[in-house]
Each structure stands twice: as C-alpha cells, then as structure tokens.
Amino acid sequence: MRGTKFDFALVLAVSALRATPVAASGPAHVCIEAHALGQIERDEGRLLSAREQFSSCTSEQCPPMIRRECVDLGESVVAMTPSVVLVAQDSEGRVIPGARATIDGTRVLAVLDGRPLELDPGIHEFELGLLEGRSQTVRVTLSSGEKYRRIVASFAAPAPPEPRPAPRPAPPQSPEPDSHGRHPLAYVFGGVGVVALGAWGIYALDGRSRQDELERCAPHCQQSQVDAMRKSYLIADVLLAVSLVSLGTGTYFFFKQTAEPTPLGSASTLWLHASGRF
C-alpha cells in the first residue's frame, strides 16, 4: 500500500501544489502530511491513529484529490479495525451487572454496557472486575478485520461463609468458700430463714389480733373477719415452714466442709423450691 498508490497520490498532490503555490505550513501542506502519516500508521498496525489522520485530511481545506484519497483510505482502515465485546457472566451464562474493565493496564471502562469496542490488531490484555472485588485477566490476540469478538470472563458464585460452631455453655460453677472455709449458700439460706421468720412473727401477731376481735364480737362476727384471720394464720404457717427449711439448709452448709462442694444446681433448686412456696 505504501508503493504505487502512495506515490501516485503524492505525485498528484505535488502537481496540485505546483499549479497553485502555497505556504509550506498552509492547509494543503498539513493535508499532505496527514495523508502520508496515516498510511505509515496503517502499515505499522496502528489503525486507530491512521483513522484519525485520514479523517483530518478530508476537510474542505484540503485539495480535492487528497481529500478523495483520504476518504477511501479511511473507509479501508475502518474495515480493517477489529472490535471486541467485553462480557462478565456467572456460571450459568447470565450477565453480571456493574462489571468494569481495564484494557492493557491503561484504558478503563467504568461499566460494561455490551457495546463493541474498537482496538488495534495485536495482543491485548483485559482485566474484568466485579463490584465485590473479584477480577479475571484475559489475554487475546486480535486479527485485522476481526469484528465483535466476545471476550468473556466467567465468575463462579461466591462460596457461602462457613457456619461458626455455637459456643458451648459454660458448666455451672460452684460458689467459692469464704475465708473460713464455709459454703456461701450457708449465708444465703440463713438470710432467707431469718427474713421468713420475721415475716412469720408479723402474720402470727396479726392473726392473733384478729382472733381476739372475733372473740369480742362473737356470735355476731362477719364472715370476712373470720376469713381474714384464717388468711393471716395460713401465711404465718407457710412462712414458718420456709424459715425452718432455710435455717436447716443454711446450718447444713455452715458446718459442711468445702472439700466436698455441693453443685450449685442442686442447692439452688432446693432454695427455689422452698422460697417458691412463699
């Protein structure tokens, strides 16, 4: 292409310039340089640059013969320029939205929209990445005239996170003994017993007071007065039972040696059973 056709175009251009003298830096001179440089770029495989040169020498300021020559050369370069379509897909062939690409480490496509992309022939490296951060690099060689070649990067679905084992519950801890070696539950049950004993005294005195009122109003007492007396005595009986059980259990733990610790579960169950009656 740099042979006969190129020389013929130059001869025509030179003849035109001789017929109409122009400055060395004038529009016609610029058109001739673009015409010659475009053919050099085409022969070196830089088709995109050649298209720009041929496009620049088709303006109305260029000589008609140079302009027609640049139009024909530009069309031939368009036919020679390869194009690709970049696709990021999942394992089932579905397009992954939001994918991006970097071409030859310099040209960046923020979003892959499925439109063809023109490149020069030769070896190219495409890095296709997803929004989540995963990426793949595809290296291909494009031939002159190759159109709409699909460059596909397939991404498998990300593996689900491994389930974490549920934490094991800590075994119940036995209460620590005090400085004298006595079990702490001795104080717990002892305190419950003392409180229940004090409450028993209050309800017992209340029941006795209501009983005295009934003796004074007999036989004309109301049934509600009788029920109130019975309720006070019943609560007093329950509190007395709770007090005796708690004091007895507290005494047991008070004199028990800590060398044989009692599990917290059994002791607390006994205490809950006794206090639950109240």
Side-chain angles (χ1 to χ4, degrees):
M1 295 293 297
R2 295 184 61 186
T4 305
K5 192 173 185 179
F6 174 70
D7 295 337
F8 177 72
L10 289 180
V11 170
L12 292 177
V14 171
S15 300
L17 291 177
R18 286 178 178 176
T20 307
V22 295
S25 58
H29 183 78
V30 174
C31 294
I32 294 175
E33 287 186 346
H35 176 273
L37 184 58
Q39 295 185 75
I40 294 174
E41 293 290 276
R42 179 201 59 190
D43 295 341
E44 295 293 334
R46 294 184 289 270
L47 302 184
L48 298 180
S49 176
R51 287 175 58 178
E52 294 180 0
Q53 296 296 330
F54 292 138
S55 177
S56 67
C57 61
T58 58
S59 64
E60 294 295 334
Q61 297 178 347
C62 296
M65 288 178 291
I66 295 294
R67 188 166 61 248
R68 288 192 295 270
E69 181 74 12
C70 287
V71 170
D72 294 339
L73 292 173
E75 292 177 351
S76 66
V77 169
V78 169
M80 295 169 58
T81 304
S83 62
V84 297
V85 177
L86 304 181
V87 179
Q89 64 184 26
D90 59 18
S91 56
E92 298 181 1
R94 295 173 298 193
V95 175
I96 302 176
R100 54 172 177 77
T102 302
I103 304 172
D104 298 327
T106 56
R107 186 175 178 180
V108 177
L109 297 180
V111 178
L112 302 184
D113 53 12
R115 291 185 294 181
L117 178 67
E118 292 184 326
L119 297 171
D120 288 329
I123 300 175
H124 295 277
E125 187 173 272
F126 305 90
E127 181 183 2
L128 286 78
L130 306 181
L131 292 176
E132 64 189 42
R134 290 188 295 164
S135 64
Q136 285 189 26
T137 300
V138 182
R139 190 178 179 89
V140 299
T141 300
L142 299 179
S143 302
S144 177
E146 188 176 11
K147 298 292 186 180
Y148 308 111
R149 178 171 177 178
R150 284 172 57 88
I151 309 298
V152 180
S154 296
F155 295 87
E162 296 183 359
R164 296 183 178 181
R168 295 182 179 180
Q173 300 289 332
S174 298
E176 296 292 334
D178 61 7
S179 58
H180 299 287
R182 297 186 180 91
H183 203 288
L185 290 180
Y187 303 101
V188 175
F189 283 106
V192 173
V194 171
V195 173
L197 185 61
W200 165 79
I202 295 174
Y203 279 97
L205 291 176
D206 182 71
R208 180 61 185 174
S209 175
R210 295 181 185 276
Q211 183 178 356
D212 292 341
E213 292 179 1
L214 290 176
E215 290 177 354
R216 286 194 296 269
C217 68
H220 304 290
C221 300
Q222 297 181 359
Q223 183 63 35
S224 60
Q225 294 176 293
V226 177
D227 294 339
M229 178 197 68
R230 291 177 177 175
K231 181 179 180 180
S232 295
Y233 277 138
L234 177 62
I235 296 176
D237 291 341
V238 172
L239 290 172
L240 180 61
V242 172
S243 176
L244 293 177
V245 172
S246 298
L247 291 175
T249 306
T251 302
Y252 167 77
F253 284 111
F254 185 82
F255 292 103
K256 180 178 177 58
Q257 297 295 326
T258 58
E260 300 176 358
T262 301
L264 178 61
S266 59
S268 59
T269 303
L270 177 61
W271 177 76
L272 288 173
H273 176 72
S275 61
R277 295 177 58 188
F278 174 68

